[in-house]
Structure formats: C-alpha cells, structure tokens
Amino acid sequence: MIRNCDLKDISDGRLYDTNDMVKAYCNECKGCHACCEGMGNSIILDPLDVVRLSKATGKGFGEMLNKEIELNVVDGLVLPNIKMNNNSCPFLNGEGRCSIHENRPGFCRLFPLGRYYENGGFKYFLQIHECERAGKTKVKVSKWIDTPDIPRYTKYINDWHDFQKEMQELIKKKLECEKDQEANNITVLILNVMYMGIYDVNNDFYLQFDERLAKLRELIEV
C-alpha cells in the first residue's frame, strides 16, 4: 500500500537492516491485542501469506473468502486482506491471542515496523504511532519478523513489490487510454495466478512464486 507521508513524521528517524536492533519487543504482547482489532482492510496479504493461512486453516483461497479474507482495490490492484469480524481479526481466540501465530501474515510479523523502499531494495523503519504499549525493549529485526531464510524472503518481497509497481503503472496507462477492460483483465489475471491458483504447501514456495511471476510477465508481456 502506497503511503504519501514524510518518513520523519511516522518513524524514529532511523532505517534498519535485518541484523540491527530495534525497540519493538513487548513481552510477547501479553495482555494486549490492540493491533488485532479495528484494522479495517489494512492487513493486505501477499501470496506467501495466503499459503501460510491455508496451512493454518486447511482451507483454500476460495473457502477463506467466506469468512477469513476479503478482496479490495489497493492502488489499482485487486488484493486480499484479512476480514475483520465484529471489528476483530477472525483468528483472535477467546483469550485474546493469535490462534495461527506460527502462520500469521507478514503484516503481523512486521508490526509495528514498516518497509521503506529505495534504490531497488528496502530497509525497515519503526512506526512510532502504531503501537502505544509502553516498556518496549530491543530485539533484532530478523528475530522480530520471525521468517525462515531471510535472504530468499527479502528477494521475494522485493520482486513482489516491484511487480506490483509495474502493474499499477501499466493499469494506470490503460485507464488513461480508456482501455478499462484491458486494465480489468490484468487485475483478474494477477489475482487468479498469484492467489487463487493452488500452491503445493509441501514444496518450495519461492520456486512456485518465481514460476508464476515469470508466467504473468509472459502473459502480460512485461
């Protein structure tokens, strides 16, 4: 999601790498689940998130659309997000804890950090207004985001981000030329290939993603 704001207004003024220490740890959020409520449609899901959720729920993408996720337009693309249930995350259990913590989406792993993209890559930053819990201590960024194989994950995030930016620009040009149907076809194709097509959860996700990305570039001639 594109945010039109000055980094200095929302962060502590620093950019972090995965090996840096950042003041984000808060005793495993015990007694607090504020970031699991009132999030609207802001918890946008990437393809890896959907695979994780499928592992956690045993459901496919279409089945989760009935309750756990929904579709919205994000910067010109139709993308899935967590669907709030009575203003709460559907995966929040009765004890106020995440019931799918091992397979939680990347947005949740990152929070309250964000990503700042520049020069073909990204760094992390601490969002100072997103979590009001006091008493945070420092934790290594790589430990905080809790994702195996950080180098491959970083490449995946970059590739997915760059592809979305390309598609957003392409769709914008199509709409400016009044080629609305072509723009719509692109959004539907991305949704079908990257999300609705079933992934093999027992095999390497990144290889499957790369194959699908190459397929999309060929079909859309990018």
Side-chain angles (χ1 to χ4, degrees), residues 175-199:
L175 294 175
E176 288 174 349
C177 296
E178 298 185 355
K179 297 180 179 179
D180 295 30
Q181 187 57 54
E182 290 184 20
N184 182 65
N185 290 343
I186 292 172
T187 63
V188 171
L189 184 61
I190 293 171
L191 184 65
N192 285 337
V193 172
M194 280 300 183
Y195 290 100
M196 300 191 76
I198 298 174
Y199 289 82

Side-chain angles (χ1 to χ4, degrees), residues 33-98:
H33 51 265
C35 61
C36 303
E37 298 180 321
M39 298 301 289
N41 58 7
S42 65
I43 306 179
I44 300 166
L45 304 173
D46 62 39
L48 178 56
D49 293 331
V50 170
V51 172
R52 285 169 167 162
L53 292 180
S54 291
K55 285 183 179 180
T57 64
K59 299 179 180 179
F61 184 84
E63 293 176 282
M64 288 189 287
L65 277 174
N66 293 327
K67 180 180 179 183
E68 293 90 354
I69 64 178
E70 61 184 355
L71 300 176
N72 280 290
V73 177
V74 183
D75 303 321
L77 297 177
V78 177
L79 299 174
N81 60 264
I82 294 292
K83 181 180 181 181
M84 295 289 109
N85 182 8
N86 294 323
N87 212 35
S88 294
C89 175
F91 301 110
L92 190 66
N93 66 23
E95 287 71 48
R97 305 296 287 173
C98 178

Side-chain angles (χ1 to χ4, degrees), residues 11-12 20 24 50 54 90 98 126 150 164 178 215 219 222:
S11 77
D12 62 357
D20 290 333
V50 170
S54 291
C98 178
L126 177 63
I150 291 293
Q164 287 182 92
E178 298 185 355
K215 178 181 179 181
L219 291 172
V222 175

Side-chain angles (χ1 to χ4, degrees), residues 47-178:
L48 178 56
D49 293 331
V50 170
V51 172
R52 285 169 167 162
L53 292 180
S54 291
K55 285 183 179 180
T57 64
K59 299 179 180 179
F61 184 84
E63 293 176 282
M64 288 189 287
L65 277 174
N66 293 327
K67 180 180 179 183
E68 293 90 354
I69 64 178
E70 61 184 355
L71 300 176
N72 280 290
V73 177
V74 183
D75 303 321
L77 297 177
V78 177
L79 299 174
N81 60 264
I82 294 292
K83 181 180 181 181
M84 295 289 109
N85 182 8
N86 294 323
N87 212 35
S88 294
C89 175
F91 301 110
L92 190 66
N93 66 23
E95 287 71 48
R97 305 296 287 173
C98 178
S99 63
I100 58 159
H101 193 262
E102 183 180 348
N103 292 296
R104 66 198 184 281
F107 179 100
C108 306
R109 294 170 187 267
L110 194 61
F111 188 89
L113 304 184
R115 297 191 189 99
Y116 181 76
Y117 293 87
E118 62 176 354
N119 302 323
F122 68 86
K123 291 183 180 295
Y124 297 92
F125 67 93
L126 177 63
Q127 302 180 88
I128 56 176
H129 304 302
E130 297 300 320
C131 177
E132 298 181 355
R133 182 161 178 146
K136 295 185 183 68
T137 56
K138 289 188 175 181
V139 61
K140 186 178 285 190
V141 171
S142 59
K143 183 177 181 180
W144 182 251
I145 61 178
D146 186 28
T147 296
D149 202 342
I150 291 293
R152 294 186 77 195
Y153 179 68
T154 299
K155 179 183 182 300
Y156 157 70
I157 291 295
N158 270 320
D159 289 348
W160 180 233
H161 173 265
D162 291 345
F163 178 72
Q164 287 182 92
K165 292 288 290 183
E166 289 179 57
M167 293 301 100
Q168 288 159 3
E169 288 299 318
L170 180 59
I171 290 169
K172 182 180 179 181
K173 290 178 181 178
K174 295 288 186 184
L175 294 175
E176 288 174 349
C177 296
E178 298 185 355

